[in-house]
Amino acid sequence: TILCMATVGAGLGFLWFNSYPAQIFMGDVGSLALGGLLGMLAILTRHELLLVLIGGVFVLEASSVIIQVMGFKITKKLSGEGKRVFAMAPIHHHYEKQGWSEPKIIVRFWIISVLLALVALLSPQQRRLARCDAFEDLAQPMEGCVTSRNGRDAHDRVVEAQPGGASTEAALVPI
């Protein structure tokens, strides 16, 4: 949670100075590190599918580049001349080429991001995971909840027999 709060603080500081017109830019090093952190947190909290939904604008931006490159290569192979699907990729540059102002594109993407985050919060997977987390201390896991690889809940204990009749407890490592 310290890492998450530090990232939120750094992100708010960045956004404060990155409001239109931008005074600083993040670049690839910062954005790739931030994306890796978000991916790691999604895996650790078992919300991988929700990350794709919450990061829908990022997925759209990356997909537009893939579509542009694949479309160009396919049309070049078929007709000898490559044709572009978008005026420019990633897709926010396409909208700039269509005459949209940068602030208009930014606000539209914000709206889409907020709507996707709300949909993710209301999704069945989010509710199921929240229900499983609330009852993960039960002896029997709830139906549909994820358990560790050996079938035990991550909080179960393994008792190992020691020579001389003594026993020690070793905690299972959660996955």
Side-chain angles (χ1 to χ4, degrees):
T1 58
I2 293 173
L3 178 64
C4 295
M5 293 310 296
T7 304
V8 167
L12 289 174
F14 172 77
L15 290 174
W16 183 265
F17 292 101
N18 198 42
S19 62
Y20 185 80
Q23 298 170 348
I24 57 173
F25 296 92
M26 184 176 287
D28 286 344
V29 173
S31 64
L32 291 173
L34 189 58
L37 177 67
L38 289 173
M40 178 192 72
L41 291 173
I43 291 169
L44 290 176
T45 59
R46 294 182 260 158
H47 289 88
E48 302 92 345
L49 296 176
L50 290 179
L51 179 63
V52 175
L53 185 60
I54 293 169
V57 172
F58 304 128
V59 173
L60 176 68
E61 289 277 313
S63 299
S64 68
V65 173
I66 294 168
I67 291 168
Q68 182 84 322
V69 171
M70 295 299 291
F72 187 85
K73 287 184 177 186
I74 290 171
T75 56
K76 185 169 185 169
K77 187 179 254 187
L78 294 176
S79 66
E81 181 181 342
K83 296 187 183 351
R84 297 180 185 341
V85 177
F86 304 109
M88 191 176 197
I91 199 161
H92 68 272
H93 291 305
H94 170 79
Y95 293 127
E96 287 174 348
K97 292 278 189 179
Q98 299 297 317
W100 288 25
S101 66
E102 187 176 339
K104 182 177 185 177
I105 298 168
I106 292 168
V107 171
R108 297 281 167 90
F109 279 21
W110 281 353
I111 293 168
I112 293 168
S113 294
V114 168
L115 291 174
L116 288 172
L118 289 174
V119 168
L121 286 173
L122 299 173
S123 74
Q125 181 189 14
Q126 171 65 25
R127 288 187 301 220
R128 183 185 62 77
L129 287 172
R131 187 187 71 205
C132 291
D133 289 342
F135 296 105
E136 80 180 356
D137 289 334
L138 294 176
Q140 295 293 322
M142 293 184 67
E143 184 177 334
C145 294
V146 178
T147 59
S148 62
R149 288 187 189 123
N150 61 4
R152 292 188 176 101
D153 192 315
H155 295 288
D156 285 349
R157 304 275 181 221
V158 175
V159 178
E160 298 176 356
Q162 297 291 322
S167 65
T168 59
E169 288 189 15
L172 291 175
V173 178
I175 58 168

